[in-house]
Amino acid sequence: MAAHFGRLRKGATTTAVAAVAVAALSASQAPGVTTDDLGRQAAGAAQPSGDANTGGAGGGATGDSPYYTDLPPLKSPNPSPSASPTTGTTVSVGEAEAGIPATVLDAYKKAEAELRASKPGCNLPWQLLAAIGKVESGQARGGRVDASGTTYSPILGPKLDGNGFALIADTDHGAYDGDPAYDRAVGPMQFIPSTWEWAGRDGNGDGKKDPNNVYDAALAAGHYLCRFDRDLSVQSQMNAAILNYNNSTEYLNTVLSWLEYYRKGTHEVPDGTGTLPSHSSNSDPGSSPSPTTPATPSTPSTPSTPSTPKPGGGSTSPTPKPPMPSSPAPSPTPPTPTQTVDHLEDANTGKLTATAGSAFGTKVAVRAESKASKGVSKVRVRFTIIGDTDATFTGGESVATVVTGSAGTATAPALVAGEKTGDFTVRATVVGRVLGGLDYTATVTPRQADTLTRTSDTALTCVPGGEFADQVELKATYKGAVAGKVAATATLIKSADDATENDKGPYFKDADGKTIRTLTDLTTDADGVLKLPKLYADDATGTFLLRVNTTGGAVLTVELKVAAAAS
């Protein structure tokens, strides 16, 4: 991310101190990581940090943009009660680093409350949002936000142009970051535009999703961390969520350090008075210059060697030294894995079909290949659900980013069908490259039932002109299991061999009390039960038939008898 308030390059002393502090604060909290088959980071063997300044493809919410590396004091906060300068309520007052600007702190706590209601299994602590906000933007530049939580000026990261950072060509036409050529991380939580497009949230209820608003950004960050049904009370899953936000082991260590610090005590400070960080994980053109290094004193010149007299006069000059060989030209920077990708190939994805409300049995899998058709590893592939559908990936998201494995293959999370039936598209594209993607058609079929039975064996009888005492109640099953939310149709038919609608005998009533003998748009409940409306009889007597059909082929015919009452 770009600096706007005095970032410094890290000197050798700063680096050493930071390394010691990280080890002291979070050595037991930051195990090595690896990538699972969904492209998520999880506890496991150590891997390269994946910092953006390595020239990798970038990823996560921030595109692996730079971040602040300042660490909390080694001494934990020791707060004492005091009155809030903004609300008058009792808060804790401690050292400056433990202070969080009032509006920013309120945004984190509101995001935690919303996630506690919408995703209670995630167990998101607001202190984790505060820790990420600290390393991403210094708590929105010390709380320089207006009353609605929007920063007074945009907080932008450096251009992700592949020059020391990830290469991410423009995806938003400059709408969020003002850059029509390359993407830049935006706002207090440093979302790249392509991520904000699907992860953005309206946290302050103003009807907009603004990455520069701390309420919107904090809520979006909370949902991003809680993806894939994570439980952040489990340390390995919290580590995976943080690494998914910015794929760097050093980043993980720094965030966990601040999380531990904030958990031990914080206090509210007025907006605009928060402590500003000064050290970044990179040195970019927007950073403050590093302290100048004192010039090395020049070496005194060696006195010239006196010439040796030659017999007969003259002198002998020193033997001239051969010229120093010129330094070899620097070798060109090798391309990143993403830059070597030429195209995507299907990786044996099967037919994508599922019944409404169930998981698809097949996952979308693609292979990133070079021009020589060799698999390319460590490439980020984005899978996007497109079309009029409520299907999602596991975890409830419509977009998933997965890193290719050693064979160049990326497999999307499992698809889960919603209630909307029909076709939709899953599109696979390479993150950071303008290449043709792959489209896969997925189909959601209606729920089905193969058996219908009555829930009662009571005879259904009525006198002419009367109403049936019992309502028809049925239960639907499919392959022996309850068939809930299955569509059905009920028709009073002429005979067992003639399924056309009868024009006499029992009937239903519509909302206006008019006679109808066919009911459509019926649906079984979650338990597979279907209870039909009351039936009435006209003056015709005899045995009549009610036929019920469901999606999937289940059929049941029920007898209805109309006879005069015995005298």
Side-chain angles (χ1 to χ4, degrees):
M1 53 173 287
H4 295 267
F5 43 87
R7 279 181 162 178
L8 302 177
R9 291 186 177 90
K10 294 187 290 182
T13 302
T14 304
T15 304
V17 171
V20 171
V22 170
L25 286 165
S26 59
S28 64
Q29 299 172 313
V33 297
T34 187
T35 304
D36 66 16
D37 63 345
L38 298 183
R40 300 172 289 176
Q41 277 66 43
Q47 67 176 21
S49 67
D51 285 336
N53 58 14
T54 64
T62 70
D64 292 350
S65 292
Y67 56 92
Y68 289 112
T69 58
D70 299 63
L71 292 165
L74 292 174
K75 181 182 177 183
S76 298
N78 187 19
S80 57
S82 180
S84 163
T86 57
T87 64
T89 57
T90 300
V91 295
S92 295
V93 176
E95 59 194 84
E97 286 292 354
I100 299 177
T103 299
V104 179
L105 180 61
D106 184 57
Y108 296 150
K109 292 185 175 181
K110 278 184 167 57
E112 179 200 55
E114 197 279 345
L115 267 298
R116 191 186 306 124
S118 62
K119 295 185 179 180
C122 179
N123 295 305
L124 171 77
W126 66 261
Q127 291 91 342
L128 177 57
L129 296 176
I132 291 176
K134 180 70 173 180
V135 302
E136 292 294 350
S137 68
Q139 311 296 22
R141 297 200 204 110
R144 295 188 69 249
V145 297
D146 62 21
S148 68
T150 302
T151 58
Y152 287 117
S153 58
I155 302 175
L156 298 175
K159 293 182 179 181
L160 298 175
D161 58 3
N163 184 21
F165 311 108
L167 174 61
I168 304 180
D170 175 67
T171 61
D172 66 328
H173 304 292
Y176 293 117
D177 55 16
D179 192 329
Y182 299 96
D183 273 354
R184 304 173 73 165
V186 182
M189 303 304 276
Q190 288 290 275
F191 280 91
I192 55 175
S194 57
T195 300
W196 183 261
E197 190 64 27
W198 59 267
R201 295 291 193 278
D202 178 12
N204 62 353
D206 64 355
K208 297 183 294 184
K209 299 176 182 178
D210 183 2
N212 295 297
N213 182 278
V214 70
Y215 287 98
D216 295 357
L219 184 58
H223 278 279
Y224 189 95
L225 294 165
C226 288
R227 295 185 307 157
F228 308 120
D229 291 329
R230 290 189 181 111
D231 179 359
L232 300 186
S233 65
V234 178
Q235 189 63 53
S236 63
Q237 295 189 39
M238 177 182 283
N239 292 350
I242 296 170
L243 285 165
N244 200 205
Y245 204 90
N246 190 318
N247 186 24
S248 163
T249 304
E250 290 78 14
Y251 180 87
L252 170 66
N253 289 338
T254 306
V255 169
L256 290 175
S257 298
W258 282 106
L259 170 62
E260 182 66 15
Y261 182 77
Y262 286 144
R263 275 177 162 166
K264 291 180 179 178
T266 59
H267 61 278
E268 178 185 299
V269 298
D271 289 343
T273 65
T275 303
L276 303 181
S278 58
H279 297 90
S280 171
S281 62
N282 81 297
S283 296
D284 60 68
S287 302
S288 298
S290 60
T292 56
T293 305
T296 304
S298 59
T299 305
S301 58
T302 305
S304 59
T305 305
S307 56
T308 305
K310 295 175 67 177
S315 64
T316 303
S317 299
T319 304
K321 295 181 180 180
M324 294 294 289
S326 60
S327 299
S331 58
T333 303
T336 64
T338 300
Q339 290 169 333
T340 66
V341 177
D342 178 72
H343 59 276
L344 289 176
E345 284 288 336
D346 176 54
N348 297 319
T349 301
K351 188 176 181 180
L352 298 170
T353 303
T355 302
S358 65
F360 284 72
T362 301
K363 296 180 181 179
V364 177
V366 299
R367 188 169 184 258
E369 294 186 352
S370 65
K371 284 186 178 180
S373 296
K374 292 184 178 180
V376 183
S377 63
K378 299 181 181 178
V379 172
R380 294 184 178 273
V381 176
R382 179 178 294 122
F383 297 94
T384 307
I385 295 174
I386 301 171
D388 183 18
T389 179
D390 53 356
T392 64
F393 292 113
T394 302
E397 305 291 351
S398 60
V399 178
T401 302
V402 180
V403 179
T404 59
S406 58
T409 301
T411 302
L415 285 164
V416 179
E419 294 303 322
K420 288 186 179 180
T421 59
D423 295 342
F424 64 93
T425 299
V426 179
R427 178 167 297 164
T429 55
V430 177
V431 177
R433 288 294 304 278
V434 181
L435 293 173
L438 292 180
D439 283 352
Y440 294 86
T441 299
T443 303
V444 179
T445 59
R447 297 170 184 264
Q448 302 179 40
D450 56 17
T451 305
L452 275 174
T453 57
R454 282 191 62 197
T455 60
S456 169
D457 57 3
T458 303
L460 297 166
T461 60
C462 183
V463 296
E467 64 179 54
F468 288 79
D470 296 308
Q471 292 176 246
V472 178
E473 186 177 90
L474 313 172
K475 185 163 186 177
T477 56
Y478 183 70
K479 295 182 179 179
V482 167
K485 301 182 180 179
V486 175
T489 300
T491 305
L492 291 151
I493 61 176
K494 290 185 176 180
S495 69
D497 298 323
D498 186 355
T500 56
E501 182 180 291
N502 208 339
D503 55 0
K504 62 180 180 180
Y507 60 92
F508 300 105
K509 290 182 180 180
D510 64 11
D512 297 324
K514 295 180 180 179
T515 297
I516 55 172
R517 289 189 168 89
T518 298
L519 298 176
T520 58
D521 298 325
L522 301 173
T523 306
T524 62
D525 65 16
D527 296 321
V529 174
L530 174 63
K531 191 170 186 177
L532 300 182
K534 276 189 174 184
L535 276 163
Y536 302 87
D538 60 14
D539 294 335
T541 59
T543 299
F544 301 90
L545 300 179
L546 168 66
R547 180 162 291 172
V548 182
N549 302 269
T550 70
T551 305
V555 180
L556 180 65
T557 303
V558 180
E559 285 191 350
L560 306 172
K561 294 183 178 180
V562 180
S567 57

